[in-house]
PDB file of all heavy atoms in Angstrom:
ATOM      1  N   LEU A 273      34.613 128.780 -49.875  1.00  0.00           N
ATOM      2  CA  LEU A 273      33.585 129.388 -50.865  1.00  0.00           C
ATOM      3  C   LEU A 273      32.865 130.483 -50.117  1.00  0.00           C
ATOM      4  O   LEU A 273      31.774 130.260 -49.527  1.00  0.00           O
ATOM      5  CB  LEU A 273      32.665 128.271 -51.348  1.00  0.00           C
ATOM      6  CG  LEU A 273      33.321 127.050 -51.983  1.00  0.00           C
ATOM      7  CD1 LEU A 273      32.316 126.067 -52.421  1.00  0.00           C
ATOM      8  CD2 LEU A 273      34.263 127.477 -53.093  1.00  0.00           C
ATOM      9  N   THR A 274      33.381 131.699 -50.186  1.00  0.00           N
ATOM     10  CA  THR A 274      32.797 132.776 -49.410  1.00  0.00           C
ATOM     11  C   THR A 274      31.437 133.226 -49.850  1.00  0.00           C
ATOM     12  O   THR A 274      30.718 133.921 -49.177  1.00  0.00           O
ATOM     13  CB  THR A 274      33.763 133.992 -49.498  1.00  0.00           C
ATOM     14  OG1 THR A 274      33.980 134.344 -50.877  1.00  0.00           O
ATOM     15  CG2 THR A 274      35.104 133.658 -48.845  1.00  0.00           C
ATOM     16  N   VAL A 275      31.027 132.799 -51.127  1.00  0.00           N
ATOM     17  CA  VAL A 275      29.731 133.132 -51.571  1.00  0.00           C
ATOM     18  C   VAL A 275      28.664 132.543 -50.640  1.00  0.00           C
ATOM     19  O   VAL A 275      27.542 133.070 -50.584  1.00  0.00           O
ATOM     20  CB  VAL A 275      29.518 132.643 -53.014  1.00  0.00           C
ATOM     21  CG1 VAL A 275      29.527 131.079 -53.115  1.00  0.00           C
ATOM     22  CG2 VAL A 275      28.260 133.214 -53.674  1.00  0.00           C
ATOM     23  N   LEU A 276      28.958 131.422 -50.005  1.00  0.00           N
ATOM     24  CA  LEU A 276      27.953 130.783 -49.128  1.00  0.00           C
ATOM     25  C   LEU A 276      27.514 131.714 -48.004  1.00  0.00           C
ATOM     26  O   LEU A 276      26.403 131.563 -47.452  1.00  0.00           O
ATOM     27  CB  LEU A 276      28.540 129.495 -48.498  1.00  0.00           C
ATOM     28  CG  LEU A 276      28.787 128.367 -49.465  1.00  0.00           C
ATOM     29  CD1 LEU A 276      29.498 127.188 -48.746  1.00  0.00           C
ATOM     30  CD2 LEU A 276      27.541 127.884 -50.114  1.00  0.00           C
ATOM     31  N   ASN A 277      28.396 132.694 -47.609  1.00  0.00           N
ATOM     32  CA  ASN A 277      28.024 133.628 -46.580  1.00  0.00           C
ATOM     33  C   ASN A 277      26.980 134.657 -46.984  1.00  0.00           C
ATOM     34  O   ASN A 277      26.356 135.275 -46.121  1.00  0.00           O
ATOM     35  CB  ASN A 277      29.297 134.373 -46.093  1.00  0.00           C
ATOM     36  CG  ASN A 277      30.343 133.457 -45.569  1.00  0.00           C
ATOM     37  OD1 ASN A 277      30.078 132.441 -44.900  1.00  0.00           O
ATOM     38  ND2 ASN A 277      31.605 133.839 -45.776  1.00  0.00           N
ATOM     39  N   ARG A 278      26.751 134.765 -48.278  1.00  0.00           N
ATOM     40  CA  ARG A 278      25.798 135.710 -48.850  1.00  0.00           C
ATOM     41  C   ARG A 278      24.529 135.048 -49.373  1.00  0.00           C
ATOM     42  O   ARG A 278      23.573 135.747 -49.652  1.00  0.00           O
ATOM     43  CB  ARG A 278      26.477 136.525 -49.973  1.00  0.00           C
ATOM     44  CG  ARG A 278      27.534 137.499 -49.509  1.00  0.00           C
ATOM     45  CD  ARG A 278      26.896 138.814 -49.191  1.00  0.00           C
ATOM     46  NE  ARG A 278      26.109 139.367 -50.278  1.00  0.00           N
ATOM     47  CZ  ARG A 278      26.629 140.028 -51.320  1.00  0.00           C
ATOM     48  NH1 ARG A 278      27.933 140.251 -51.385  1.00  0.00           N
ATOM     49  NH2 ARG A 278      25.822 140.493 -52.275  1.00  0.00           N
ATOM     50  N   LEU A 279      24.551 133.767 -49.549  1.00  0.00           N
ATOM     51  CA  LEU A 279      23.372 133.076 -50.111  1.00  0.00           C
ATOM     52  C   LEU A 279      22.392 132.774 -49.038  1.00  0.00           C
ATOM     53  O   LEU A 279      22.676 132.299 -47.980  1.00  0.00           O
ATOM     54  CB  LEU A 279      23.813 131.768 -50.780  1.00  0.00           C
ATOM     55  CG  LEU A 279      24.600 131.931 -52.145  1.00  0.00           C
ATOM     56  CD1 LEU A 279      25.094 130.512 -52.531  1.00  0.00           C
ATOM     57  CD2 LEU A 279      23.678 132.515 -53.199  1.00  0.00           C
ATOM     58  N   LYS A 280      21.107 132.992 -49.434  1.00  0.00           N
ATOM     59  CA  LYS A 280      19.996 132.694 -48.551  1.00  0.00           C
ATOM     60  C   LYS A 280      19.215 131.514 -49.091  1.00  0.00           C
ATOM     61  O   LYS A 280      18.755 131.588 -50.242  1.00  0.00           O
ATOM     62  CB  LYS A 280      19.089 133.917 -48.380  1.00  0.00           C
ATOM     63  CG  LYS A 280      19.744 135.106 -47.721  1.00  0.00           C
ATOM     64  CD  LYS A 280      18.862 136.310 -47.641  1.00  0.00           C
ATOM     65  CE  LYS A 280      19.565 137.555 -47.071  1.00  0.00           C
ATOM     66  NZ  LYS A 280      18.662 138.710 -47.035  1.00  0.00           N
TER      67      LYS A 280
END
Side-chain angles (χ1 to χ4, degrees):
L273 306 181
T274 58
V275 68
L276 293 174
N277 299 326
R278 288 273 305 276
L279 287 173
K280 297 178 182 179

